[in-house]
Structure formats: structure tokens, C-alpha cells
Amino acid sequence: MSSKIEQIIEEIEEYIDGCKPQTLSKTNIVVNKEEIEELLRELRMKTPEEIRRYQKVLANRDAILADAQAKAEAIIKEANIHTSELVNEHEIMQQAYIQANEIMAAAEAEAQRRLDTATMEANNYRMQAMRYTDDMLGNLQNLIHKTMDSHMAKYENMMGSLRNFSDILANNRAELASPLNEAELTDLEE
């Protein structure tokens, strides 16, 4: 499921590693906007269908709950109709009350069960979508940290090399300073 996404993330990492650092910056790099947008577009296209389905379920949660409520009301209405029919018959009036109460209790229990099931399913889909999103954000965060560490090491190596060159230049100038001072004194004496 995530192998295509991981492949695109690796492509983004390789792209970022190949970017040139911005002049005089420790952390900024120069990025081709079109190339990075194309990689991000490709990543969006590879989003698993399951996540899209979870998003639809979350968006339709109210519709699912409303459907469960409508079914519960239909069951209760049916129970009320049945109760009315039983009450109309005088000989079985006592039995009608008992059956009506049992039907209503069963209908309410069924309605509550369906409502609980729909709520639980919606919450499960939401949690799964949140876990997947958190995993993706964690992967992206790791990618950014790796990229930052890589570029920081390169920057520190470059700065070390520049310091060494600066020290060598300072030593060379110090060595040249003594003969130059003697040459100037000789010129002044003549």
C-alpha cells in the first residue's frame, strides 16, 4: 500500500540532496519549484483509496447517523401502529399492551444498537485515518531531519576547510612579513 508513496518520498529525498545550498546559508537550498510541485502532485495521486474511503465515511457520518435514526423511528412507528391495532381489539387488550411494550423495547434497543454501531464504525475510520496521517507526517519529519543533518555536516566540512585555508594564508603572510620588513629597512638605509 505505501510502497509507491515511499518510493516518491525517496525521490523527494534524492532531489533535495541534489539541490545546491543557497549562498551564505546553513540550512536553505535552491529548489526548482516545478520539479518539487511535480513530485508532490505525484505523491497526492498515490494516496491510497482506503484513506479516501475513510474521508468519505467521515464526511458522511451525519448521514449514517441520520439513516440509523430514521430506521429507528420507522421501527418505533411500526411498533406504534402494531400497538394501535392490538388495542382496538377488546379481547386481547391486555396482551396488546404487553406485546406493544416488548416491541417498543426491542425497537428502541435495535435503534440504539444500530446507532452505536454506526458511531463506533465512524470513530474507527477516523482513528485509522488519523494514524495513517500521523505516520505520513512522521515520515516527512524524518526526511526533513535527515536532510537537515546531511546539509549541516556538509556545511561544517566546508567551514572547516575554509578555516584551514585561512590559517594557511595567515601563516604564509606572517612568513612573508619578516622579509618584507627587512627589505623596507634596507631601502630606507640607502
Side-chain angles (χ1 to χ4, degrees):
M1 170 170 74
S2 61
S3 63
K4 290 180 182 179
I5 291 174
E6 288 173 355
Q7 181 182 5
I8 294 171
I9 288 173
E10 287 175 11
E11 288 177 22
I12 292 173
E13 285 177 336
E14 290 172 7
Y15 174 75
I16 289 173
D17 286 341
C19 290
K20 293 182 181 179
Q22 189 176 19
T23 306
L24 301 176
S25 174
K26 293 181 182 180
T27 58
N28 294 343
I29 58 174
V30 178
V31 176
N32 183 317
K33 183 179 178 183
E34 290 176 7
E35 287 182 37
I36 197 75
E37 284 177 345
E38 178 59 31
L39 289 170
L40 291 173
R41 228 182 338 270
E42 191 176 332
L43 183 62
R44 281 191 197 98
M45 288 173 49
K46 301 295 182 186
T47 301
E49 186 61 30
E50 186 174 327
I51 294 302
R52 291 190 185 114
R53 188 168 34 114
Y54 292 161
Q55 290 170 339
K56 287 179 185 177
V57 168
L58 289 175
N60 294 329
R61 181 175 183 238
D62 290 340
I64 292 169
L65 294 175
D67 182 51
Q69 184 66 33
K71 288 178 181 177
E73 289 173 3
I75 291 170
I76 291 170
K77 184 177 179 181
E78 183 180 11
N80 286 334
I81 291 170
H82 188 63
T83 301
S84 296
E85 291 171 357
L86 291 176
V87 169
N88 288 337
E89 296 183 36
H90 184 61
E91 299 145 9
I92 56 170
M93 184 181 264
Q94 195 68 6
Q95 186 63 28
Y97 282 119
I98 293 170
Q99 287 181 352
N101 287 334
E102 288 174 356
I103 290 172
M104 286 187 67
E108 288 175 359
E110 179 63 18
Q112 187 61 48
R113 186 190 65 77
R114 288 184 183 192
L115 187 61
D116 291 346
T117 300
T119 301
M120 199 164 59
E121 286 178 1
N123 287 336
N124 285 339
Y125 285 135
R126 184 173 58 90
M127 290 304 294
Q128 290 174 4
M130 288 171 60
R131 281 188 194 107
Y132 179 80
T133 302
D134 183 59
D135 288 345
M136 293 303 297
L137 290 174
N139 288 340
L140 185 57
Q141 186 178 24
N142 287 338
L143 167 68
I144 290 171
H145 284 214
K146 286 178 185 176
T147 302
M148 287 171 55
D149 290 344
S150 170
H151 286 289
M152 184 59 76
K154 289 175 186 175
Y155 173 78
E156 288 174 3
N157 281 340
M158 181 186 72
M159 289 304 291
S161 295
L162 289 174
R163 279 190 203 97
N164 286 341
F165 289 133
S166 178
D167 291 344
I168 291 170
L169 291 174
N171 288 337
N172 289 343
R173 288 189 72 210
E175 289 176 13
L176 289 174
S178 182
L180 283 176
N181 287 338
E182 289 176 13
E184 287 176 5
L185 285 176
T186 306
D187 286 342
L188 288 176
E189 292 175 353
E190 294 179 357

